[in-house]
Amino acid sequence: MPVTKLVALGLLLLLCFSVVFCNALDNRCWTLGDFNSPVLEQDGDIVIGGLFPMHYIALETDHNYSERPQHQECSGRFDFRAFRWVQTMVFAIEEINSNSSLLPGVTLGYRILDSCDHVHTSLRSMLFLVNGTSSQTQANADGSAKCLSSAPISYFATCTCLTDKKEYPSFLRTVPSDVFQVQGLVQLVSHFGWRWVGTVGTDDDYSHYGIQAFTEQLEKLGGCIAFHHTIPKAPSQAQIHAILNSLEGSTAQVIIAFATEGQLLELLVEAAHRNLTRMQWVASEAWVTAKLLTIPELHPVLDGTLGFAFRGTTIPGLAEFLLRVRPSPKPESVFTNMFWEELFGCRLGYKDGGDSEFSSLCTGSEDLMETENSYTDVSRVRISYNVYKAVYAIAHALHQLLQCGSKEHGSDHICKTESKFSPWQVIFMWEISNISGATECIKCPQYYWPNNERVSCVAGIEEFLSYHEIMGIILISLSLFGVAVATVITWIFFLFRSTPIVKANNSEMSFLLLLSLKLCFLCSLVFVGRPSPWTCRARQAAFGISFVLCISCILVKTIVVLLAFRSTMPGSISLKLFGPPQQRVFIFCCTTGQVILCACWLALAPPYPYKNTSYQGGKIVLECKDVWPLGFYLALGYIGLLSCMCFALSFLGRKLPDTFNEAKLITFSMLIFFAVWISFIPAYNSSPGKYTVAVEIFAILASTFGLLFCIFVPKCYVILLRPDLNTKKGMTGKMSK
């Protein structure tokens, strides 16, 4: 097949586990020395390579450059958890190959090696994945040698150093950066008041950068580092003892450890032998869930260990797949055979057992279901899921790059396998097409939210009190109904303007009051609809001025009632001093005060349309934001001041003769007015979103209806239904019974 690309899932030079892309061109690099490392491989049109730390010890040799370097096998304990990661990669590839909707017509293969958790071994393994076998290299040596740089995708590299896109532009990962883990660890130790702590790490960038970031953030919060020890890659007993001697002699009882389980094992085993149990261990994510360290021997040392783990999940079908592995003399079963011997403590008879530590022979039919270890425990997988996502990320990127299922090429089910592409193209396609499962999130633009799957940004839903929604329609209808009622009352008063009851209640002020009540009803309409610069300014100004005009008219009517009663006393000229001209001037002055206040407020710090994104659920609440909230409360307070004066005066006139008394009606209307606006303030401040506007409209309408009905409905009742009372005798109380 023309698709001759090689994609490798591997390990970086910085000892971080990763996915490596490379291009198997006809012109390859030369390899020096023999590289006969065990490999698990399966051919395919596109091959995905992987590096996993199935051992934790690699012997280092001094190269004298006088002879070809020989391959050194990894040693130490076989890591069951890392072998589960290997099998997860194989499982994901086989699952993709059986999926007809993903990469149809293209078969994925794999080539997996042991990194030994070591830089040199990882480098050799990665170059082997990039350039192929030694025979492949020799066969293509006629052309000019050209090695391509790799583009890694990591499933376990959390180092903060890799976040720098200028330094590592092609690096991707399906695991979070240590930036977040360090923040959590600092908050954790601060929560418990641990200010004097020690740190233990390893000689790699994961540990160096993690501990450096932790130290800097802890010191900002007033904490101190008591000691720091680095565990060498292959520590001697003397080095282990030296570290433990320091721990025993320190007064710090909290240790933060940035390392992997294999690197910590020897140190912790020796700590258990010394019964060093007073230490509180705080684990990095690399070893906090490692089953290797859950052996009973370490329980006294590690009981109570704290740390943050990746979110666990389940992969359907993985448990059954893991239990199907069986040893075999075939070369591709080399890692399975290592795993089998380590797990069951026996040796397989497929090779000379002279170098095996086990004397008894394995049958090959041992039952994995009867064992309990980190390989078979898939109840909540973490790193395995990162491997799974990395493989699927590559598959989806290739699916896009090969234009699979494109109708433009005559088939809905076949990929365009003649496509030529480079590793950079695969990386780019992965970034734009497989954001799902990403660990370093891209911040959505302003006023955009991630969708439910958190793979794309969608525009936020704008919310405001609309003319078209039920609540808006109801409030508008009530407002127009109030205007209609006020208009009808005005018409009644105009028709009966010559009757005693209209004349006795200051007809000029009554008509002006009815006009101001109409304005109060109409001002609520400005609050409905999408906020704009002019509506935000007009809302509060219209509300403040119309209500001041209304209360001023009522205040004048109250004063006139009191003065009219006093004018019946001999020698009183008070009513003459507060005639119609003075009443108009009084209303004008009161209203002008509010006009000046609103003008200054709107000129210096006007409200403006604002998109409030503080609400959950992707809502953007469009509202008028007050730059100077005190301006609104001053305008409201001015209305309250006039209302208090009006209430006080009307209360004084409550005992005037009933036949001439409008003060009682005004007193009652003011009580309703106060009740509405006193309850308005807490409701206004606690209502969310568009309901804040609805509360203010409701307060305007309720108080306006209260004034209208309390002051004018009794008069309309007399005019229309009791005309016998609408006479001079009826008004003065001299009508015969």
Side-chain angles (χ1 to χ4, degrees):
M1 179 171 287
V3 180
T4 58
K5 312 298 177 182
L6 173 65
V7 187
L9 175 66
L11 182 145
L12 282 179
L13 304 184
L14 298 173
L15 280 185
C16 50
F17 312 103
S18 58
V19 179
V20 179
F21 286 100
C22 53
N23 199 342
L25 297 177
D26 291 338
N27 301 324
R28 300 173 184 267
C29 300
W30 287 89
T31 58
L32 298 177
D34 296 326
F35 189 84
N36 297 316
S37 177
V39 59
L40 172 61
E41 60 182 341
Q42 177 68 46
D43 289 335
D45 302 320
I46 300 176
V47 178
I48 301 179
L51 297 179
F52 296 89
M54 285 174 277
H55 293 86
Y56 284 97
I57 299 177
L59 298 177
E60 295 189 32
T61 57
D62 295 329
H63 299 294
N64 54 21
Y65 301 100
S66 62
E67 59 183 9
R68 287 181 179 272
Q70 300 299 315
H71 169 69
Q72 298 291 334
E73 289 190 1
C74 302
S75 60
R77 241 179 121 174
F78 189 86
D79 192 330
F80 297 160
R81 188 168 71 141
F83 187 60
R84 168 159 47 86
W85 303 342
V86 171
Q87 292 300 319
T88 302
M89 175 179 169
V90 175
F91 169 76
I93 290 175
E94 291 187 4
E95 192 176 61
I96 292 169
N97 287 338
S98 62
N99 186 351
S100 60
S101 62
L102 183 59
L103 288 175
V106 176
T107 301
L108 295 181
Y110 50 84
R111 186 175 300 157
I112 300 172
L113 291 92
D114 189 354
S115 70
C116 302
D117 196 21
H118 195 275
V119 174
H120 297 156
T121 309
S122 302
L123 176 57
R124 287 195 298 266
S125 299
M126 185 178 70
L127 292 177
F128 171 77
L129 292 173
V130 172
N131 299 307
T133 63
S134 163
S135 59
Q136 287 176 318
T137 304
Q138 296 291 342
N140 293 285
D142 293 338
S144 58
K146 181 181 180 182
C147 294
L148 298 181
S149 60
S150 61
I153 301 176
S154 170
Y155 61 86
F156 206 13
T158 60
C159 182
T160 57
C161 57
L162 299 170
T163 306
D164 187 355
K165 284 299 181 183
K166 292 183 179 179
E167 190 73 20
Y168 307 102
S170 62
F171 177 78
L172 300 170
R173 52 185 163 190
T174 57
V175 63
S177 167
D178 276 335
V179 170
F180 311 105
Q181 179 183 200
V182 168
Q183 292 174 353
L185 290 176
V186 171
Q187 293 177 21
L188 179 66
V189 298
S190 299
H191 172 76
F192 290 106
W194 298 331
R195 304 294 183 183
W196 180 242
V197 302
T199 57
V200 172
T202 51
D203 191 14
D204 53 48
D205 284 342
Y206 165 71
S207 177
H208 293 165
Y209 280 91
I211 291 177
Q212 177 184 346
F214 174 84
T215 302
E216 292 174 353
Q217 294 191 31
L218 183 66
E219 289 176 347
K220 289 180 180 179
L221 297 179
C224 293
I225 302 298
F227 59 81
H228 170 67
H229 293 293
T230 300
I231 304 173
K233 265 297 178 182
S236 63
Q237 283 299 312
Q239 291 170 322
I240 294 293
H241 288 308
I243 295 174
L244 288 174
N245 290 339
S246 175
L247 298 187
E248 286 182 311
S250 174
T251 57
Q253 297 187 3
V254 180
I255 302 176
I256 288 83
F258 271 81
T260 59
E261 66 271 29
Q263 296 164 331
L264 284 174
L265 182 60
E266 290 186 54
L267 180 71
L268 294 174
V269 168
E270 183 60 30
H273 291 163
R274 295 192 183 195
N275 197 28
L276 188 57
T277 59
R278 66 179 178 85
M279 296 295 184
Q280 169 64 55
W281 291 85
V282 178
S284 67
E285 96 295 335
W287 67 277
V288 69
T289 59
K291 209 148 192 175
L292 179 65
L293 303 180
T294 61
I295 55 177
E297 182 183 359
L298 298 181
H299 286 181
V301 177
L302 295 179
D303 274 351
T305 299
L306 299 175
F308 293 100
F310 300 129
R311 184 176 61 181
T313 187
T314 57
I315 302 176
L318 178 61
E320 294 78 8
F321 180 84
L322 295 178
L323 294 175
R324 288 201 298 266
V325 299
R326 287 291 181 271
S328 168
K330 297 179 181 179
E332 61 267 20
S333 298
V334 58
F335 294 132
T336 302
N337 296 343
M338 293 180 185
F339 161 71
W340 205 267
E341 291 181 339
E342 184 78 26
L343 177 61
F344 293 106
C346 57
R347 63 181 177 86
L348 294 163
Y350 305 142
K351 63 177 181 178
D352 182 12
D355 58 348
S356 176
E357 62 179 299
F358 307 113
S359 57
S360 61
L361 285 175
C362 302
T363 64
S365 60
E366 290 82 2
D367 191 356
L368 283 175
M369 296 186 66
E370 295 181 355
T371 64
E372 184 178 346
N373 52 73
S374 57
Y375 173 78
T376 57
D377 183 11
V378 292
S379 56
R380 301 290 290 176
V381 295
R382 295 174 173 84
I383 309 304
S384 297
Y385 186 56
N386 292 337
V387 175
Y388 187 77
K389 289 189 295 184
V391 175
Y392 265 90
I394 296 169
H396 282 286
L398 290 170
H399 189 88
Q400 295 284 333
L401 197 60
L402 297 177
Q403 304 176 26
C404 300
S406 175
K407 295 182 179 180
E408 298 175 356
H409 300 91
S411 175
D412 295 341
H413 304 287
I414 300 298
C415 299
K416 189 179 180 182
T417 53
E418 66 274 9
S419 301
K420 299 290 184 179
F421 60 86
S422 67
W424 288 94
Q425 289 175 287
V426 179
I427 291 289
F428 178 76
M429 292 305 298
W430 183 61
E431 286 184 318
I432 66 174
S433 67
N434 195 65
I435 302 177
S436 178
T439 55
E440 295 183 25
C441 297
I442 301 172
K443 187 176 182 180
C444 289
Q446 190 178 23
Y447 309 129
Y448 281 76
W449 269 264
N451 62 356
N452 293 334
E453 293 77 21
R454 295 186 177 274
V455 296
S456 63
C457 296
V458 295
I461 302 172
E462 293 186 342
E463 181 180 275
F464 57 90
L465 187 59
S466 170
Y467 292 103
H468 306 291
E469 61 180 292
I470 295 177
M471 183 165 57
I473 294 173
I474 292 174
L475 293 174
I476 292 173
S477 300
L478 289 175
S479 176
L480 297 178
F481 175 73
V483 173
V485 172
T487 302
V488 170
I489 293 175
T490 303
W491 178 71
I492 293 172
F493 266 55
F494 179 77
L495 292 180
F496 295 91
R497 61 186 180 277
S498 59
T499 60
I501 195 169
V502 176
K503 290 182 177 180
N505 286 281
N506 198 336
S507 60
E508 182 179 349
M509 287 299 105
S510 295
F511 286 116
L512 187 56
L513 176 58
L514 286 168
L515 175 62
S516 64
L517 289 174
K518 293 177 188 177
L519 295 177
C520 291
F521 282 121
L522 291 174
C523 78
S524 62
L525 299 178
V526 189
F527 288 80
V528 184
R530 186 185 184 91
S532 64
W534 78 268
T535 56
C536 286
R537 288 175 169 86
R539 284 180 180 183
Q540 307 302 349
F543 158 72
I545 294 172
S546 59
F547 265 86
V548 164
L549 178 61
C550 175
I551 301 299
S552 299
C553 293
I554 297 175
L555 182 58
V556 167
K557 288 173 71 67
T558 306
I559 295 173
V560 170
V561 170
L562 293 175
L563 293 179
F565 178 75
R566 290 177 59 88
S567 66
T568 60
M569 300 179 182
S572 176
I573 60 171
S574 56
L575 189 58
K576 296 180 181 179
L577 297 177
F578 196 69
Q582 290 78 16
Q583 295 172 18
R584 300 187 194 103
V585 171
F586 181 85
I587 293 174
F588 175 80
C589 292
C590 290
T591 308
T592 301
Q594 184 77 312
V595 170
I596 294 174
L597 177 60
C598 291
C600 294
W601 171 28
L602 299 180
L604 299 177
Y608 63 92
Y610 172 69
K611 294 184 177 182
N612 191 341
T613 59
S614 62
Y615 297 93
Q616 299 296 324
K619 291 193 302 184
I620 302 175
V621 178
L622 302 183
E623 58 188 21
C624 292
K625 186 172 184 179
D626 290 329
V627 180
W628 190 46
L630 184 60
F632 170 71
Y633 290 106
L634 285 176
L636 191 62
Y638 185 71
I639 298 172
L641 175 63
L642 294 179
S643 301
C644 289
M645 294 173 58
C646 185
F647 175 75
L649 293 176
S650 62
F651 184 78
L652 292 176
R654 71 189 186 283
K655 293 184 179 180
L656 294 178
D658 290 343
T659 53
F660 189 72
N661 191 6
E662 195 179 18
K664 283 187 176 181
L665 300 178
I666 295 176
T667 302
F668 189 65
S669 66
M670 287 295 103
L671 287 175
I672 296 177
F673 187 86
F674 286 141
V676 170
W677 287 102
I678 290 174
S679 61
F680 158 77
I681 294 176
Y684 179 82
N685 291 327
S686 61
S687 298
K690 63 183 180 182
Y691 298 102
T692 303
V693 179
V695 166
E696 186 169 0
I697 295 176
F698 178 80
I700 291 172
L701 295 178
S703 57
T704 307
F705 272 116
L707 296 175
L708 181 66
F709 289 154
C710 289
I711 295 176
F712 290 99
V713 168
K715 298 180 177 63
C716 291
Y717 171 77
V718 172
I719 293 173
L720 299 177
L721 302 179
R722 293 296 303 275
D724 55 312
L725 297 178
N726 192 11
T727 61
K728 188 173 182 180
K729 290 182 179 181
M731 294 298 298
T732 58
K734 296 179 181 180
M735 194 176 80
S736 60
K737 296 183 181 180

